[in-house]
Amino acid sequence: MRQRVSLKIGKTLLVDGPATVQVASGMVNVMGAVFSEGSWTKVRGFRRTPFYAEHSEASLIVEGAKYRVVEGSTIPGSWVEAAEKTGADDKGVIAVVGEADSGKTSLATFLVNYYLNFQVEVGVVDADPGQNDLGIPGTVSAGVVNKGLSDLCHVKPEVIEFIGLTAPESEVEELKQAVATAIRRLRSRGVEKIVLNTDGWVDSRGLDFKAELISIVKPSFVLSLLEGEKAMVFSRVVDPSTRMLKVDKSPYVKRRTRMHRRMLRMLNYRRHFARSRLVRRVMRETGFLNHPFINGEPVPTPEELKGLGFNALETRRYMNTLYVKTKGETEEPVTLDVDGKRVIILGEGWEKGLLVGLGREGRIIGIGIIDSLSGDEIIVKTPLTAWFDTVKLGEIKLDAAFNEKNFYWKPLRQRD
């Protein structure tokens, strides 16, 4: 559906994706960035973008099914006040904290656009491995912005730290270090002002994690969208020296269900792997950071497993756990306790479809999906064109349509 919408000064057009919006005349403010006549932007599915006629009337061409016009700006005044206060210094990390669907990404986008009024470039770190806007799910991603934007997905990730899981609570220590590394790498290339967008995990353990992350990152300010009891708990667990500003939620934030978030991840995978190719690497020339068979020590198969009906092909010990590859495929890993030993049963070809980080010289430089792995070579589907010599396994499996499934091949105690 294609419609022309006229906006008078002081009106905002709210567009739900998927949609495309073009400015036919005048200019509009989009999350703090000015879009003038002739410019256009895409609104992703399950997202909502505001187009505010701040200083002039505007005419917009909307290709999409759902939109409406509301009075005034949808940007809360507290966001503007916080941006002014935190933008006074041209250095430092500004962290955004809040629960899911509280407007964290919108606030982060607004801050980036505001700081660009005074900075040549602004760094942004997306620390949410579940709903990552810059990169792909399962990662902490970071990039640099030098012009106004309507959505963080338009930022090209320059830094990728591969976690391999979408649930932040599954790898808290690795996640904290990944965020710290991403910030450090942005600073090493001369970026001084950085916006850190955190995940939406805000139960008591999640708030403790945020407090620990803040103690590591040491941001100049923390902008909190938390409300009620969560806000009180967070204020108690965070370092008292932290400069924290309370900001309001926008009443126009689009709510998403768990299914919507899953669909967003699927669309993200499809976008990332749209121009992929199959890349072959010789096994003896490829290092695996965490492969339980290639890096494991061959050991005898426990006799107790034979009595349970498992047809073991190979057993190896890796990180104090026995991994047993059995004949035939298994839907998912089976964890057993055999004579006091932790045993994980994996079927043949268990690696196929696993999301992996691809690295070189100690850094992850791209993401891939294992197509096959034999004794001689590994075949990976990836858009990465640069050479890689390192593979890090994740615990996300994707089918041909990019539907995901968590595939926990590591023991729970390793992830806690």
Side-chain angles (χ1 to χ4, degrees):
M1 182 183 296
R2 181 185 175 93
Q3 295 286 336
R4 181 182 288 265
V5 180
S6 296
L7 282 182
K8 293 186 178 297
I9 295 177
K11 302 283 189 178
T12 295
L13 174 67
L14 289 173
V15 180
D16 288 1
T20 300
V21 180
Q22 181 179 4
V23 183
S25 64
M27 63 178 62
V28 289
N29 187 306
V30 184
M31 304 306 302
V34 175
F35 283 68
S36 56
E37 183 176 330
S39 60
W40 62 276
T41 186
K42 285 186 176 181
V43 182
R44 288 184 288 161
F46 310 110
R47 300 283 185 175
R48 175 176 293 158
T49 301
F51 298 82
Y52 177 44
E54 184 176 16
H55 298 300
S56 72
E57 295 185 354
S59 177
L60 307 175
I61 298 174
V62 181
E63 293 189 31
K66 191 172 181 181
Y67 58 87
R68 61 185 168 124
V69 175
V70 298
E71 190 71 37
S73 172
T74 59
I75 301 298
S78 61
W79 290 21
V80 178
E81 294 171 6
E84 291 173 347
K85 188 166 186 177
T86 58
D89 191 349
D90 60 0
K91 297 181 180 180
V93 174
I94 311 300
V96 176
V97 175
E99 60 185 319
D101 294 334
S102 63
K104 294 192 310 298
T105 300
S106 295
L107 175 56
T109 305
F110 175 75
L111 292 174
V112 168
N113 286 329
Y114 181 86
Y115 298 149
L116 283 174
N117 291 316
F118 313 98
Q119 307 284 330
V120 174
E121 58 183 15
V122 177
V124 58
V125 176
D126 194 327
D128 188 348
Q131 295 295 321
N132 200 284
D133 290 292
L134 270 68
I136 194 169
T139 68
V140 168
S141 301
V144 179
V145 186
N146 52 30
K147 63 179 180 179
L149 72 165
S150 62
D151 192 329
L152 291 185
C153 77
H154 300 148
V155 181
K156 181 180 179 181
E158 296 185 15
V159 178
I160 301 171
E161 295 295 320
F162 184 69
I163 308 298
L165 282 164
T166 57
E169 60 267 32
S170 300
E171 290 283 4
V172 291
E173 291 303 321
E174 187 173 0
L175 182 55
K176 284 187 288 188
Q177 293 307 314
V179 175
T181 299
I183 291 173
R184 185 168 60 250
R185 289 177 62 181
L186 284 182
R187 282 176 167 161
S188 70
R189 83 182 275 313
V191 180
E192 298 286 358
K193 195 74 172 183
I194 300 171
V195 176
L196 168 62
N197 192 21
T198 63
D199 60 81
W201 178 32
V202 293
D203 61 15
S204 59
R205 189 166 169 237
L207 294 176
D208 285 339
F209 161 71
K210 298 292 187 304
E212 294 166 3
L213 177 63
I214 288 168
S215 69
I216 294 172
V217 173
K218 294 180 172 52
S220 301
F221 285 93
V222 174
L223 272 54
S224 173
L225 288 156
L226 295 170
E227 296 178 331
E229 184 178 353
K230 289 183 174 62
M232 290 188 293
V233 171
F234 186 60
S235 65
R236 288 198 300 265
V237 298
V238 76
D239 189 312
S241 65
T242 302
R243 291 193 290 180
M244 187 154 51
L245 300 176
K246 176 70 177 69
V247 292
D248 300 322
K249 293 181 181 179
S250 170
Y252 298 100
V253 169
K254 187 174 178 63
R255 301 288 177 180
R256 293 167 296 179
T257 66
R258 181 173 295 183
M259 180 59 69
H260 289 157
R261 292 189 179 91
R262 192 177 184 89
M263 287 291 293
L264 273 170
R265 291 198 296 272
M266 183 185 71
L267 293 172
N268 198 334
Y269 294 129
R270 286 184 178 178
R271 181 182 64 177
H272 185 82
F273 290 104
R275 298 183 179 179
S276 296
R277 61 196 179 105
L278 292 179
V279 177
R280 299 173 184 267
R281 289 288 182 267
V282 179
M283 292 290 288
R284 66 175 179 272
E285 298 175 355
T286 306
F288 287 81
L289 298 181
N290 56 350
H291 196 295
F293 286 106
I294 295 174
N295 295 341
E297 173 192 1
V299 295
T301 302
E303 289 294 327
E304 294 87 345
L305 285 180
K306 298 177 182 178
L308 296 175
F310 290 104
N311 187 358
L313 299 176
E314 185 180 11
T315 301
R316 289 178 178 259
R317 180 186 290 115
Y318 177 72
M319 296 183 72
N320 298 319
T321 298
L322 295 183
Y323 287 85
V324 181
K325 184 188 292 186
T326 60
K327 189 172 181 60
E329 296 185 0
T330 57
E331 182 66 22
E332 56 186 25
V334 177
T335 302
L336 302 172
D337 192 310
V338 178
D339 195 23
K341 301 184 183 71
R342 176 78 68 175
V343 178
I344 294 183
I345 309 297
L346 299 166
E348 293 179 278
W350 66 277
E351 303 100 331
K352 182 177 176 61
L354 276 184
L355 197 68
V356 294
L358 307 175
R360 185 181 65 225
E361 298 177 351
R363 288 185 175 181
I364 298 298
I365 59 173
I367 306 297
I369 302 170
I370 293 182
D371 184 73
S372 67
L373 191 153
S374 67
D376 299 322
E377 71 174 4
I378 178 174
I379 302 177
V380 178
K381 180 178 182 178
T382 180
L384 182 67
T385 57
W387 178 268
F388 64 89
D389 56 16
T390 306
V391 176
K392 180 182 179 181
L393 303 187
E395 294 190 279
I396 301 170
K397 254 195 176 184
L398 301 173
D399 64 17
F402 300 103
N403 295 301
E404 68 176 6
K405 178 179 73 173
N406 290 326
F407 192 83
Y408 296 131
W409 59 267
K410 288 187 287 187
L412 287 174
R413 65 185 179 188
Q414 282 184 217
R415 297 199 301 271
D416 291 340

